[in-house]
Amino acid sequence: LENVQQIKIFEENKKKTQEEEEPCPADSVDSLMAEMPFVDTDIEDEFVMHATSEINIKKKRKRTTGKEIEEGSETKKKKKRQYQPNYFISLPITNPEITGSIQALQDAIIQKDQRLSKAMVRSGSLHVTMLVMHLSNEEDVSIAVGALSDSKGFVEDLLKGKTVDLSFQGIDHFRNEVGFVKLAKKDHTAILTEIADTMKKIFQEKGILTGEERAFKPHLTFMKLSKSTQLRKQVKKIDSSLYEDFKSHYFGDEILHRLDLCSMLKKKQPNGYYYCESSIVFGEKHAAEPDDAELVSLSKRLVENAVLKAVQQYLEETQNKTRQTDGSPVKTEEGASGSKNESDNDNSK
């Protein structure tokens, strides 16, 4: 009888809690984070593991009433929210060739299944995720900005002055729920993995809570079912035949020139890219080359203009001499010039 009474209390409390809960707004944390192209795991799992295990240890073999079970459940939910990642290190994809090719791929898929338009990642948001983290407050953000700045020297040591040209070719998926473009060469994956591991250590030494130990798999997500709750109810798996024509397609190259510390939750920039707290740039000399090229181009234009002006002046003088020979009237300037020449000749005599 006591057990039956406890069960009844538990069910009544559960029902009451469900009635009091309000529906989750469209721009909630979960819906915002659904846009992030992480690896084949629920992003919450990466940060909830420690908190959940602690709760389970405390609750192990402990006799509880229905109310205590409910309180334990609420504590667990709070822990999950507390340790959800809200910032990440992004390698932005800016090459128009890549973004254009991905747009063509997305259009081809949508033509075959209109519902998947809700699953597409916008071109301005395309990036490779290097590292995810949880920053609790502005002080943590400031520490993370410092850690990113400290990372620059270590990353440049890994690059050894070489330009990392990342080639994207072919398509793969995670559990038929996430579609992504692959890196074409294994050495690209190796250098990005080394960079990610190095940065992770630096951030952890600063006390920043980063993801659990999972295999880093750099990828460029272009489609994800979790972007829309409604879509997930309609489509359980992405049919690979929808992108069959692009399975070995070459999308283009992206030079590793910048890494950004971005917020998952703050309002995006007008171009669709994430809110950026700080950045580190590699190969500043290469970045200055377009300015030099512009100066060279300007110099060429000045020379060309000077040559054209000289040719035009020569042609005008030739035409004027021809008119003088034919007895045709000449320009006032030419007449003045002629008078001056005659006066000079008289003086010389």
Side-chain angles (χ1 to χ4, degrees):
L1 287 172
E2 185 180 352
N3 290 336
V4 171
Q5 190 176 4
Q6 288 178 359
I7 292 170
K8 283 183 178 179
I9 293 171
F10 173 71
E11 288 178 349
E12 286 174 2
N13 288 332
K14 184 178 179 182
K15 186 177 180 181
K16 187 177 179 181
T17 303
Q18 289 176 346
E19 289 174 353
E20 291 175 354
E21 285 181 350
E22 295 180 358
C24 184
D27 59 347
S28 65
V29 172
D30 293 336
S31 62
L32 285 167
M33 291 203 324
E35 202 169 315
M36 297 300 302
F38 296 112
V39 195
D40 56 335
T41 179
D42 187 339
I43 191 61
E44 291 183 6
D45 293 343
E46 294 199 30
F47 288 84
V48 179
M49 191 172 295
H50 292 310
T52 305
S53 61
E54 288 172 8
I55 293 168
N56 288 337
I57 291 170
K58 290 179 181 178
K59 289 173 63 180
K60 191 175 182 181
R61 294 182 182 178
K62 182 179 179 181
R63 294 181 64 186
T64 60
T65 64
K67 188 175 180 180
E68 287 171 335
I69 292 171
E70 185 183 353
E71 287 175 353
S73 174
E74 288 299 319
T75 305
K76 184 177 177 181
K77 286 180 181 178
K78 287 179 182 178
K79 286 286 187 179
K80 278 192 175 185
R81 286 190 218 104
Q82 183 182 352
Y83 291 105
Q84 279 182 338
N86 52 3
Y87 279 84
F88 67 103
I89 300 299
S90 165
L91 191 167
I93 302 300
T94 58
N95 183 358
E97 182 183 1
I98 299 177
T99 56
S101 295
I102 288 180
Q103 184 66 61
L105 163 64
Q106 292 173 331
D107 291 342
I109 293 173
I110 293 170
Q111 283 182 356
K112 296 176 182 178
D113 192 340
Q114 184 65 35
R115 298 173 301 174
L116 293 175
S117 61
K118 297 177 182 178
M120 299 304 172
V121 177
R122 291 182 295 174
S123 59
S125 301
L126 293 172
H127 69 282
V128 175
T129 301
M130 300 293 292
L131 180 68
V132 295
M133 66 196 73
H134 176 81
L135 305 178
S136 301
N137 47 48
E138 288 303 316
E139 185 181 352
D140 282 355
V141 173
S142 179
I143 293 172
V145 168
L148 178 63
S149 179
D150 293 346
S151 302
K152 182 176 179 179
F154 290 94
V155 175
E156 286 179 333
D157 288 342
L158 290 174
L159 297 178
K160 297 176 181 177
K162 296 179 181 178
T163 300
V164 178
D165 197 356
L166 305 170
S167 297
F168 291 91
Q169 183 173 10
I171 297 176
D172 205 347
H173 64 86
F174 294 130
R175 298 180 298 187
N176 290 111
E177 296 175 5
V178 177
F180 63 90
V181 178
K182 300 186 293 184
L183 280 170
K185 298 177 183 178
K186 291 183 178 179
D187 55 342
H188 292 160
T189 303
I191 186 65
L192 288 184
T193 301
E194 201 169 356
I195 291 172
D197 289 343
T198 301
M199 295 184 74
K200 189 171 186 176
K201 289 177 183 176
I202 293 171
F203 275 78
Q204 286 178 339
E205 286 172 0
K206 297 276 188 178
I208 299 298
L209 181 64
T210 60
E212 296 294 328
E213 297 297 330
R214 295 183 184 274
F216 174 68
K217 188 173 183 179
H219 58 284
L220 176 54
T221 298
F222 64 87
M223 174 173 57
K224 191 170 184 179
L225 290 181
S226 61
K227 277 178 59 64
S228 171
T229 306
Q230 276 187 327
L231 181 63
R232 294 217 66 156
K233 294 176 181 177
Q234 299 172 2
V235 182
K236 301 299 180 184
K237 300 288 182 182
I238 300 171
D239 186 357
S240 60
S241 65
L242 295 174
Y243 49 80
E244 185 69 33
D245 297 339
F246 290 83
K247 272 201 167 179
S248 58
H249 180 78
Y250 169 73
F251 289 85
D253 291 4
E254 181 75 36
I255 295 175
L256 172 60
H257 69 285
R258 194 179 89 221
L259 292 174
D260 303 323
L261 173 63
C262 296
S263 169
M264 299 180 192
L265 308 180
K266 291 183 179 180
K267 186 178 180 180
K268 288 185 176 182
Q269 300 179 33
N271 64 356
Y273 191 61
Y274 298 89
Y275 181 90
C276 185
E277 296 283 356
S278 182
S279 303
I280 51 175
V281 180
F282 309 105
E284 286 87 352
K285 291 181 180 179
H286 295 290
E289 286 178 3
D291 295 333
D292 295 338
E294 190 176 348
L295 288 173
V296 171
S297 177
L298 179 61
S299 299
K300 285 182 179 179
R301 288 199 300 272
L302 289 172
V303 171
E304 288 171 357
N305 290 337
V307 171
L308 287 172
K309 190 173 181 180
V311 171
Q312 187 176 4
Q313 187 175 357
Y314 171 76
L315 291 173
E316 287 178 355
E317 289 176 355
T318 304
Q319 288 175 357
N320 288 333
K321 284 181 181 179
T322 303
R323 287 174 183 172
Q324 283 180 335
T325 306
D326 295 342
S328 304
V330 297
K331 295 180 180 178
T332 307
E333 291 179 3
E334 289 296 323
S337 177
S339 300
K340 185 179 179 182
N341 288 336
E342 289 175 3
S343 175
D344 291 340
N345 289 335
D346 292 337
N347 291 333
S348 64
K349 289 176 182 179

